Amino acid sequence: MPPKKAAVQEKVLLGRPGNNLKSGIVGLANVGKSTLFQAITKSSLGNPANFPYATINPEEARVIVPDERFDWLCDHYKPKSQVPANLTVYDIAGLTRGASTGAGLGNSFLSHIRAVDAIFQVVRCFDDAEIIHVEGDVDPVRDLTIINEELRIKDIEFVEKALEGLKKQTRRGGQSLEMKKMKEEEATVAKVLEYLQSGKDVRSGEWGPKEVEAINPLFLLTAKPVVYLVNLSERDYIRKKNKYLPKVFEWIKEQSPGAPLLPISASFEERLAALGSDEAAAEECKKLETQSGLPKVITTMRQSLNLASFFTTGADEVRQWTIRKGIKAPAAAGVIHTDFEKTFIQAVTYNYNALREYGDEKSIQAAGKIMTKGKDYVVEDGDILLIKAGAAKG
């Protein structure tokens, strides 16, 4: 008999399940968060004020995800309706030292971060006498350390409360399955507490599937993926040089290994947006031999959230749907309509790359590249799907 294949254990991800995930722009006061938010979302919130707490309630906007595959499909099908993928972004009030103990707008700020799934952390790396710095001078490594410590202190507080609650329940004793599960959860939460107290962020730990199941309901701030946005002056951004960058790079390598670091210039993006059209902005970038950093910001955040896309296509509509990587066809069908997940029969699928290569469905079919897949099919990024589902039960 052939040897049994070892079951591959699927990695359970930190964070909420689901496809409608949100990102928050976070940083100390006056580092360029609101200016960046306006540029990313092409929205105007009035004039971002030059003082802490200019943003008190998190502003929310949906950003279109730039994707040349979607653009190509729209050119190919020339549909009546075009629906691109989007990402929800929040501009969250500036943090100050002591936020974890309620300083400034600390408590509401931290609860707003708890509500998002990933963090754009903006760090100021430009000198400007006109724009005050809450700490008195520009020192990005100190700023990064302040934010990290504030988020970790708050997480320790959350975890201590959770552990206290679990201990109260497990003291009752007993051998039931529920009690066994609770004791396992208590052990995980105690381990997380120890990890945080040692100065580490939850996202950088190696957690098993059962541990992740216990961690996710805590909505920990340091468990969320982070994309670091280094806000440069326009001059430094264009010439790709900045005196602070090497230190920031070293700090991220040490404190947040693997996290993306993207240079950006909020003032440059604001100026491009003020030109009023994509054509004028492209012309300006060409003249300066540079490009906008925003598309990379949005696509990098999507990757950090472990998101992918599939498409539905035709003469009526081309639409890009957002899914978590690794989900199966019924769950992807459920993104189109919740009933489709329950009544899923099969998915007819081929990949965008096949359409680019063969030019149309008939040629793809002739090449044997169109597949009919069942419930266990894991949808791949760039798949074009036709979902077949039964009638929903009333």
Side-chain angles (χ1 to χ4, degrees), residues 328-330 344-349 371-378:
K328 292 182 178 169
F344 177 88
I345 297 168
Q346 61 186 33
V348 178
T349 177
M371 299 168 291
T372 301
K373 296 289 186 179
K375 291 182 176 180
D376 288 333
Y377 176 64
V378 174

Side-chain angles (χ1 to χ4, degrees), residues 254-299:
E254 199 177 295
Q255 301 291 331
S256 199
L261 162 69
L262 300 178
I264 188 107
S265 171
S267 58
F268 177 58
E269 300 299 344
E270 185 180 39
R271 191 165 73 74
L272 287 183
L275 294 173
S277 76
D278 291 348
E279 290 75 20
E283 195 56 46
E284 181 68 5
C285 287
K286 194 177 169 187
K287 192 173 85 184
L288 296 167
E289 294 181 4
T290 189
Q291 54 194 30
S292 164
L294 298 182
K296 186 94 187 278
V297 168
I298 297 159
T299 52

